[in-house]
Amino acid sequence: MTWKKHLWVVLTTGLILSYVVVELNSPRSHSLTAFGDITQLLLVAVATGLMVANAVSTRGHARGFWLLMAAGCCLWTASLGAWTFFEVVRGQEVPEPFFGDVILFIHIVPFMAAVALRPHRPQEEKKLYFSTLNFLMLLIWWVFLYAFTVFPNQYVSLNSQAYNQNYDLLYLFENLVLLVVLALLTTNVQGPWKKVYWNLFIAAGLYTWSSEEINAAITRGQYFTGSWYDIPLVTAMCWLILAGLMARDLKPAQESAPPPPSSKWLALSPRLAMLAILSLPAMGFWSQFRDPSPPSIRHFRLLVTLAAMLVLGGFVFLRQYVLDRELMRLLEESRQSLESLRRLQTQLVQKEKLASLGQLVSGAAHEINNPVAAILGYSELLAANQDLDPAQVTMAQKIGQQARRTRDLLSGLLSFAQQAPAEKTLIEVAPLLQRALQMKMLQMETKGIRVHSTIAPALPRIWGNPNQLMQCCLEIIGNSMDALQETAGGTLWVSAKCEDNEVVLKFSDSGPGILEPVRVFDPFYTTKSVGKGTGLGLSATYGVVQDHGGQIACHNRPEGGAVFVLRLPVAGPESPTSKVPSLTTTN
């Protein structure tokens, strides 16, 4: 134990001994009353300040726990302050009925809400506003119980005997509920919080016993402030302060391990709120048909029940609204996670295909390249031989033409298989995209293809290899040109903008679309006629975009045509952003 706890234990022992000495040597008097009231008021005020200090030094659910404990101690202080005002300042007996009894009764509710918050649990398991709603519902229910059980005999039709009896029973029940919750926590929690809960359980147990003894003594007319009955009460107050000091030294943190299965019974807050609501109709029925009290009390209890049903019903609708909003958010997050998982799976499969196929074609291309070179050389020699007749020369030229086509295919295979991460620099996307369009502009004009380009201003820079990204843009534009040529012209829309820390390039056309968009990046997949494409261009583009940490996707437009979307991550905040004016051209 630290010196603070040692000092507090010594002070507590001295205070208890002082109580014993004062009680033995001082008869009932105003001085004894002042000593007892002021001592208790100061102890609870110190506990309030300590709980506030603990809340300031913590965060998350732990802060909420200590704030609720501070709220309970503050209400307790207010009740004791009112008691001290009458007995010490005004020098008279506390009136009956006493308004401070309501405050004293309510001060237990924040304690119950604090332990039901379960600050030892990971904060991600639940939202604080759900706990707040549950606490408000429980607070209203306890106020309703007081108004239903005690208040009628206190203010509607004064009956001191019934009032004291009902108040004592209800207050005992309230304290026992707090003790049960603390007992469950102490048996199911491990680590520093277990010590905190144990000390709070001892303090609450002492308080429950002392308050029950004091209430019984008040009923018998034997209690006065500063008497023997105050010793366990003061001990409970001191133990509460000790629990706060211990928590301040332990600095209890949240549990990182999953809770044991039995801890599911600790989710008491929503269950108690549900039971509170379900109890209202039964109590209203009893008040209307079974209550032997006078009509005025029965009428008052029925009105209180209806008012509580209305208020708690509003909280139920509010809680359901919050739950629906939370459910929609979780569903949206689940949908996005599923889409991300599918996209990641597709990317992994595609990378495996590219890697395996690259190794295969690399070896095959090197082996085939030598005989193809020999065939091409001999065919050229045969075609240049003057002794051959024209038919033989034509045959040799055809052999050479097919050999050159095979060589070009092998070159493409080697280029596809030997892709490696190139040197990357900061790139301004807008000028690169404009150059790609200008390189294809003449061909598109001759084919009757119109181009609409929209480039957002001040696009941020990206890290990449300009040559590789230029080839990617040219490959996608070339595919759109081939598709639009089938429809004797059309429109190509090109845009560039920044979204969610990504530069998004979008190429869409008014062509016939793609037959199988999910296969468009597969190696050797092509819809072009024989001799017009190998099906490796978009596969290589996919690999380049992946190497740049980006994403590429393809889908068909509902009104016709294909859309290619490239997403490239923006460079870090330390890199400057480009200042490119917005360009919108129509050709």
Side-chain angles (χ1 to χ4, degrees):
M1 296 178 67
T2 63
W3 68 270
K4 292 181 180 179
K5 288 183 286 185
H6 275 297
L7 178 61
W8 184 248
V9 170
V10 172
L11 292 176
T12 300
T13 305
L15 181 62
I16 301 301
L17 292 176
S18 299
Y19 249 92
V20 174
V21 172
V22 170
E23 172 63 22
L24 289 175
N25 296 278
S26 299
R28 181 176 182 179
S29 63
H30 183 269
S31 300
L32 181 62
T33 301
F35 170 76
D37 285 336
I38 293 174
T39 300
Q40 295 174 27
L41 179 61
L42 289 178
L43 286 174
V44 179
V46 170
T48 304
L50 181 60
M51 302 307 173
V52 172
N54 287 346
V56 172
S57 62
T58 55
R59 58 183 178 180
H61 283 174
R63 174 170 293 179
F65 173 83
W66 293 115
L67 284 176
L68 287 170
M69 293 295 293
C73 291
C74 185
L75 291 173
W76 195 0
T77 305
S79 175
L80 290 175
W83 191 285
T84 304
F85 173 76
F86 281 103
E87 287 196 332
V88 178
V89 178
R90 301 186 63 174
Q92 64 184 44
E93 293 288 337
V94 175
E96 189 172 335
F98 178 46
F99 69 91
D101 291 344
V102 182
I103 304 175
L104 183 65
F105 177 82
I106 295 299
H107 95 276
I108 299 295
V109 180
F111 292 161
M112 289 191 291
V115 295
L117 192 61
R118 293 180 295 163
H120 60 279
R121 300 291 294 276
Q123 190 168 347
E124 291 75 14
E125 289 192 6
K126 56 181 179 176
K127 298 295 184 181
L128 188 60
Y129 46 75
F130 288 129
S131 300
T132 303
L133 288 176
N134 291 331
F135 163 66
L136 291 176
M137 294 171 69
L138 288 174
L139 176 61
I140 292 172
W141 185 69
W142 283 107
V143 172
F144 159 74
L145 282 181
Y146 187 90
F148 187 91
T149 307
V150 180
F151 195 86
N153 298 117
Q154 185 179 12
Y155 290 106
V156 178
S157 178
L158 182 60
N159 186 339
S160 298
Q161 182 179 359
Y163 161 69
N164 290 328
Q165 182 180 1
N166 292 337
Y167 183 91
D168 294 348
L169 288 175
L170 188 60
Y171 196 53
L172 175 62
F173 171 67
E174 185 182 32
N175 281 281
L176 289 177
V177 171
L178 176 61
L179 279 176
V180 169
V181 177
L182 284 170
L184 290 174
L185 287 172
T186 55
T187 56
N188 288 276
V189 176
Q190 302 298 326
W193 277 107
K194 188 180 185 69
K195 296 181 180 179
V196 175
Y197 293 144
W198 259 115
N199 283 275
L200 291 176
F201 175 77
I202 295 172
L206 285 172
Y207 177 77
T208 302
W209 173 57
S210 63
S211 63
E212 183 65 17
E213 291 296 324
I214 290 173
N215 289 335
I218 291 175
T219 303
R220 297 191 302 267
Q222 298 176 353
Y223 175 77
F224 60 91
T225 304
S227 63
W228 290 98
Y229 298 100
D230 285 346
I231 294 178
L233 177 62
V234 171
T235 305
M237 295 175 179
C238 293
W239 211 299
L240 178 63
I241 296 175
L242 180 64
L245 290 173
M246 181 173 292
R248 195 167 182 82
D249 289 337
L250 292 175
K251 298 187 183 302
Q254 293 171 342
E255 291 180 349
S256 57
S262 59
S263 66
K264 65 182 181 179
W265 299 107
L266 296 178
L268 293 177
S269 183
R271 290 182 173 88
L272 290 176
M274 178 185 64
L275 291 175
I277 296 173
L278 294 177
S279 67
L280 295 179
M283 299 184 73
F285 178 84
W286 178 85
S287 175
Q288 179 66 22
F289 299 104
R290 302 294 183 183
D291 189 4
S293 303
S296 59
I297 293 180
R298 291 169 51 198
H299 181 69
F300 176 80
R301 284 174 172 169
L302 187 60
L303 290 178
V304 168
T305 304
L306 292 176
M309 292 176 66
L310 179 63
V311 175
L312 288 177
F315 274 101
V316 169
F317 282 112
L318 177 60
R319 192 174 189 276
Q320 188 61 44
Y321 171 76
V322 174
L323 285 173
D324 290 341
R325 291 285 300 271
E326 185 71 9
L327 178 60
M328 294 301 297
R329 184 186 64 81
L330 292 175
L331 288 175
E332 180 62 22
E333 289 182 356
S334 300
R335 185 188 64 81
Q336 294 177 358
S337 299
L338 181 60
E339 290 180 356
S340 299
L341 182 61
R342 289 176 176 173
R343 184 167 58 248
L344 179 61
Q345 184 180 15
T346 302
Q347 293 173 358
L348 291 175
V349 171
Q350 195 73 15
K351 283 186 176 181
E352 287 293 329
K353 287 182 180 179
L354 293 176
S356 301
L357 189 59
Q359 294 178 356
L360 175 64
V361 301
S362 177
H366 280 293
E367 293 297 328
I368 298 173
N369 194 45
N370 291 330
V372 168
I375 293 172
L376 180 60
Y378 286 124
S379 64
E380 291 177 349
L381 289 175
L382 288 174
N385 192 343
Q386 300 295 330
D387 298 334
L388 299 179
D389 56 42
Q392 292 173 328
V393 171
T394 301
M395 183 66 68
Q397 291 176 345
K398 289 182 178 180
I399 292 173
Q401 182 181 0
Q402 296 301 318
R404 280 188 290 273
R405 182 184 171 193
T406 304
R407 183 188 61 186
D408 293 339
L409 177 60
L410 291 173
S411 177
L413 287 173
L414 286 173
S415 176
F416 167 78
Q418 294 175 357
Q419 288 182 19
E423 182 180 356
K424 296 181 176 62
T425 59
L426 282 174
I427 302 175
E428 293 188 1
V429 178
L432 184 145
L433 186 58
Q434 292 170 5
R435 288 197 301 270
L437 290 173
Q438 290 171 359
M439 292 174 65
K440 294 288 187 178
M441 190 63 68
L442 182 60
Q443 299 180 37
M444 288 189 285
E445 288 178 350
T446 58
K447 295 179 180 180
I449 298 174
R450 299 178 300 276
V451 179
H452 295 273
S453 63
T454 304
I455 302 176
L459 281 176
R461 296 181 180 183
I462 64 172
W463 283 100
N465 183 273
N467 294 327
Q468 290 183 344
L469 293 179
M470 174 67 76
Q471 289 299 321
C472 292
C473 294
L474 292 175
E475 180 66 32
I476 295 175
I477 294 173
N479 274 274
S480 297
M481 289 172 54
D482 294 339
L484 292 172
Q485 188 176 4
E486 298 178 8
T487 58
T491 305
L492 172 64
W493 294 275
V494 180
S495 65
K497 58 183 178 179
C498 184
E499 289 183 357
D500 299 330
N501 208 30
E502 291 180 328
V503 174
V504 181
L505 306 181
K506 187 176 181 180
F507 304 83
S508 57
D509 59 63
S510 59
I514 299 176
L515 183 61
E516 296 177 287
V518 295
R519 295 187 56 199
V520 73
F521 299 112
D522 289 347
F524 299 109
Y525 175 78
T526 180
T527 58
K528 298 176 183 178
S529 58
V530 177
K532 289 190 176 182
T534 61
L536 292 174
L538 290 177
S539 295
T541 299
Y542 183 92
V544 169
V545 174
Q546 291 294 311
D547 180 59
H548 284 70
Q551 299 175 6
I552 183 171
C554 174
H555 63 274
N556 288 323
R557 300 169 64 233
E559 58 271 25
V563 179
F564 286 86
V565 181
L566 278 72
R567 296 181 177 272
L568 299 169
V570 174
E574 69 280 356
S575 60
T577 57
S578 59
K579 301 294 182 182
V580 182
S582 178
L583 298 177
T584 303
T585 61
T586 302
N587 296 290

